[in-house]
C-alpha cells in the first residue's frame, strides 16, 4: 500500500476540540498522583509515532460478523464502536426484576449444563457424576431397586434442562442483546469532539496517559493489562474514594498487543488519520469525514466491503490461520525506541515516567528482563514521519 506523505485535513463534521497528534495544546504540569502508589504501572506508552498496527483482538474479531449480520441496519447503534464514539459502558433498559431473573437463568444454564458456553465439558457432568457415584448406596437403601435411580434421574433431568436452555441462549443471545442492550454515548471516547465522556465530566483525550499495569494473582501468577488514566486526578477523582478516572481495554495476547491497542485507540481519536482499518468500523467508514476523503482518494487500497466479504467467504479454520499470522506480525513489530510527543506539551512529562522496557517484545515473557529499562529518545516537533500513514494493517513490518 502507498504511504501518505502529507497530513490529512479533516473537513466539516468535527468539533473544534477534536484531537490531532500534530496539534496537542500546551498543558499544565503533571501532578504526582498519590492514588497510583502501590500499583505496578510498569511502563507508560508513548503518544504519537504511530506504527499503524492494530491488536489481533480487533483486527480479526471473532464475533463482529455474527452481530453485524443479525442486526443489519441497527448495527450502528448497537455496536460498541462506530465512527462517532468508542463506548465503554452498556446501558440496559430493563428493570430489577428482569435483572434478577436473568441472573438466576444464567447461573442455572451456564453452571449446570452438560456443555460449556462456547464448547467443552460443562459442570453438569460433575454433578451427575457425584450422584451416579452414590447411586449404588441409594439402590441398596431403597425398597425396590428402581427407587434408587430416582436421584440420578432427577439430577440428569435438571442438568439436561440447563443444557437445553444454554443452547437456546447461545442461539438467540443476539436477540436479547439487540432488544435490551445499548452501548452508552455518555461513557465513551468521542472521535467527533476529541473528548472522553464519563459520569465525572468530559475531558480532552490528550489529558489521559496509557500504562501497562501488572497484577499478581493469588497463586503468584502475573498478568498485564492496558490502562488509560487521567493525568490530572484532582479534576476527575471520585469525591469519596479519590480514585482517578481510568479505563481498561481488553486485549488478548502479549505485551506487544497492548502497545498495538494504544496505537489503534490514538488513531481512532486522531481526526488527521482515517479510522483504523478494522472490521468493527468498516460499515461506518463512509460516515466519517476524514475517512471518507481518504477512501474516495483510493488510499485505503481495499474494497469498501473488504472485511464483510472476508468473513462471509472464509471458513473458521481460514480465519484462525489469519489471526495466528497477524498475532505473529504484531509480536514481531518493533515497538520500542519511539519518542513521546506529549513531552512537547506537558513541561515535566519526561521526568514523571520516561523509561521503557529495553526489549518491548520480550518484556513480560522473560522475568529476567523485567528490570531493564532505558530512556526514550527525546521528542522533536512533529515532522513528516508523524503525518505519514499506512492504513493496511496486515502489512508485515
Amino acid at each position: 500500500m502507498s504511504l501518505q506523505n502529507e497530513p490529512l485535513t479533516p473537513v466539516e463534521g468535527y468539533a473544534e476540540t477534536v484531537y490531532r497528534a500534530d496539534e496537542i495544546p500546551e498543558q499544565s504540569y503533571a501532578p504526582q498522583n498519590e492514588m497510583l502508589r502501590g500499583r505496578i504501572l510498569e511502563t507508560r506508552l508513548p503518544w504519537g509515532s504511530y506504527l499503524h498496527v492494530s491488536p489481533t483482538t480487533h483486527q480479526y474479531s471473532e464475533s463482529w460478523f455474527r452481530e453485524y449480520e443479525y442486526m443489519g441496519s441497527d448495527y450502528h447503534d448497537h455496536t460498541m464502536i462506530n465512527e462517532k464514539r468508542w463506548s465503554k459502558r452498556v446501558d440496559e433498559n430493563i428493570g430489577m426484576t428482569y435483572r434478577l431473573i436473568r441472573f438466576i437463568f444464567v447461573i442455572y444454564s451456564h453452571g449446570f449444563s452438560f456443555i460449556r458456553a462456547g464448547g467443552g465439558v460443562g459442570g453438569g457432568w460433575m454433578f451427575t457424576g457425584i450422584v451416579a457415584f452414590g447411586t449404588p448406596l441409594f439402590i441398596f437403601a431403597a425398597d425396590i431397586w428402581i427407587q434408587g435411580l430416582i436421584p440420578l434421574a432427577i439430577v440428569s433431568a435438571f442438568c439436561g434442562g440447563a443444557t437445553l436452555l444454554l443452547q437456546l441462549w447461545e442461539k438467540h443471545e443476539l436477540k436479547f442483546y439487540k432488544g435490551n442492550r445499548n452501548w452508552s454515548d455518555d461513557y465513551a471516547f468521542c472521535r467527533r469532539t476529541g473528548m472522553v465522556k464519563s459520569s465525572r465530566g468530559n475531558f480532552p483525550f490528550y489529558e489521559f496517559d496509557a500504562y501497562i499495569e501488572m497484577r499478581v494473582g493469588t497463586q503468584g501468577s502475573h498478568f498485564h493489562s492496558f490502562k488509560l488514566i487521567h493525568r490530572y486526578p484532582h479534576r476527575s477523582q471520585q469525591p469519596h474514594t479519590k480514585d482517578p478516572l481510568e479505563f481498561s481495554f481488553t486485549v488478548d495476547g502479549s505485551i506487544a498487543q497492548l502497545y498495538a491497542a494504544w496505537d489503534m485507540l490514538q488513531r481512532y481519536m486522531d481526526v488527521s488519520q482515517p479510522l483504523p482499518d478494522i472490521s468493527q468500523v468498516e460499515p461506518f467508514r463512509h460516515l466519517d469525514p476524514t475517512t471518507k476523503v481518504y477512501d474516495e482518494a483510493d488510499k485505503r487500497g481495499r474494497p469498501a466491503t473488504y472485511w464483510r466479504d472476508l468473513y462471509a467467504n472464509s471458513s473458521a479454520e481460514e480465519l484462525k490461520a489469519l489471526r495466528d499470522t497477524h498475532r505473529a506480525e504484531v509480536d514481531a513489530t518493533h515497538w520500542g525506541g519511539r519518542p513521546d510527543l506529549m513531552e512537547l506539551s506537558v513541561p515535566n512529562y519526561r521526568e514523571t515516567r520516561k523509561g521503557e522496557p529495553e526489549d518491548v517484545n520480550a518484556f513480560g515473557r522473560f522475568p529476567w528482563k523485567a528490570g531493564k529499562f532505558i530512556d526514550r529518545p527525546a521528542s522533536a516537533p512533529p515532522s513528516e514521519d508523524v503525518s505519514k500513514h499506512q492504513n493496511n494493517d496486515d502489512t508485515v513490518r
Side-chain angles (χ1 to χ4, degrees):
M1 298 298 152
S2 61
L3 287 173
Q4 177 186 328
N5 294 317
E6 70 282 343
L8 284 169
T9 302
V11 296
E12 293 183 3
Y14 300 113
E16 294 183 358
T17 55
V18 291
Y19 170 73
R20 292 181 58 121
D22 56 355
E23 294 181 1
I24 302 176
E26 293 185 5
Q27 301 162 73
S28 59
Y29 281 79
Q32 180 65 44
N33 191 342
E34 297 296 331
M35 294 304 298
L36 298 182
R37 291 187 182 276
R39 296 176 59 172
I40 309 176
L41 300 176
E42 295 197 302
T43 187
R44 186 177 64 196
L45 307 184
W47 282 86
S49 305
Y50 307 140
L51 296 185
H52 303 283
V53 178
S54 298
T56 306
T57 302
H58 290 82
Q59 188 72 25
Y60 288 96
S61 169
E62 296 189 14
S63 61
W64 92 273
F65 187 65
R66 187 167 66 102
E67 296 177 358
Y68 172 74
E69 271 196 316
Y70 181 85
M71 295 179 189
S73 60
D74 293 332
Y75 180 66
H76 180 276
D77 296 329
H78 290 274
T79 185
M80 179 180 185
I81 314 173
N82 60 30
E83 86 288 354
K84 294 181 179 179
R85 55 101 179 108
W86 187 320
S87 182
K88 297 299 293 180
R89 175 174 291 173
V90 174
D91 289 333
E92 293 187 289
N93 186 25
I94 56 178
M96 290 302 298
T97 302
Y98 187 94
R99 291 175 190 267
L100 179 61
I101 294 173
R102 185 186 64 188
F103 175 75
I104 296 173
F105 171 84
V106 171
I107 291 296
Y108 171 55
S109 62
H110 288 63
F112 295 91
S113 172
F114 286 118
I115 59 175
R116 189 172 57 190
V121 177
W125 288 109
M126 179 185 70
F127 297 111
T128 305
I130 293 173
V131 176
F133 182 79
T135 296
L137 297 177
F138 298 142
I139 294 176
F140 180 78
D143 294 333
I144 56 176
W145 70 269
I146 198 170
Q147 289 180 335
L149 297 177
I150 292 178
L152 180 60
I154 292 175
V155 172
S156 298
F158 185 79
C159 294
T163 304
L164 177 61
L165 290 177
L166 180 60
Q167 290 176 324
L168 291 173
W169 166 268
E170 292 194 318
K171 182 178 180 181
H172 300 288
E173 177 187 6
L174 286 178
K175 185 176 183 179
F176 161 79
Y177 174 85
K178 182 178 177 179
N180 298 293
R181 301 183 72 190
N182 298 285
W183 289 102
S184 173
D185 292 337
D186 298 322
Y187 207 84
F189 290 77
C190 303
R191 175 176 169 91
R192 292 287 182 93
T193 64
M195 304 297 287
V196 179
K197 301 177 69 175
S198 76
S199 58
R200 307 186 201 179
N202 301 333
F203 306 94
F205 176 60
Y206 53 75
E207 288 188 355
F208 289 79
D209 291 323
Y211 294 91
I212 291 178
E213 181 177 26
M214 186 185 75
R215 295 198 174 186
V216 180
T218 56
Q219 303 299 321
S221 59
H222 66 273
F223 61 93
H224 295 87
S225 59
F226 171 42
K227 300 286 186 178
L228 208 65
I229 304 175
H230 192 227
R231 188 183 310 122
Y232 305 100
H234 56 287
R235 303 177 189 168
S236 61
Q237 63 189 6
Q238 288 278 26
H240 302 296
T241 65
K242 307 300 183 182
D243 291 335
L245 178 61
E246 65 177 74
F247 297 87
S248 297
F249 286 80
T250 303
V251 181
D252 296 331
S254 64
I255 293 291
Q257 296 283 347
L258 304 182
Y259 273 77
W262 177 228
D263 194 280
M264 175 183 63
L265 180 61
Q266 287 184 89
R267 287 182 284 120
Y268 174 82
M269 292 295 291
D270 189 347
V271 298
S272 71
Q273 303 288 316
L275 290 167
D277 198 352
I278 57 177
S279 53
Q280 295 100 312
V281 297
E282 180 181 68
F284 320 127
R285 292 181 65 90
H286 66 288
L287 300 176
D288 178 71
T290 297
T291 309
K292 182 179 180 181
V293 172
Y294 182 85
D295 290 353
E296 288 179 347
D298 200 26
K299 294 181 179 180
R300 183 188 181 194
R302 285 175 172 170
T305 57
Y306 172 82
W307 290 110
R308 186 195 69 183
D309 296 342
L310 175 68
Y311 276 78
N313 300 317
S314 299
S315 66
E317 293 74 18
E318 290 172 328
L319 290 172
K320 182 181 184 302
L322 289 170
R323 290 189 190 98
D324 291 342
T325 299
H326 184 265
R327 186 170 289 107
E329 293 174 0
V330 174
D331 292 344
T333 300
H334 184 66
W335 293 100
R338 294 177 294 152
D340 192 330
L341 286 180
M342 196 57 67
E343 294 178 6
L344 303 174
S345 301
V346 179
N348 65 330
Y349 198 73
R350 185 168 178 81
E351 287 69 32
T352 55
R353 189 179 292 267
K354 60 183 177 180
E356 69 173 351
E358 182 181 37
D359 187 341
V360 170
N361 300 82
F363 182 65
R365 289 184 291 162
F366 305 108
W368 56 88
K369 289 183 176 289
K372 295 183 179 180
F373 283 75
I374 58 175
D375 287 349
R376 295 188 186 278
S379 297
S383 57
E384 67 172 8
D385 64 307
V386 175
S387 58
K388 287 181 180 181
H389 174 74
Q390 186 172 357
N391 200 45
N392 178 10
D393 291 324
D394 290 335
T395 302
V396 179
R397 294 164 178 81

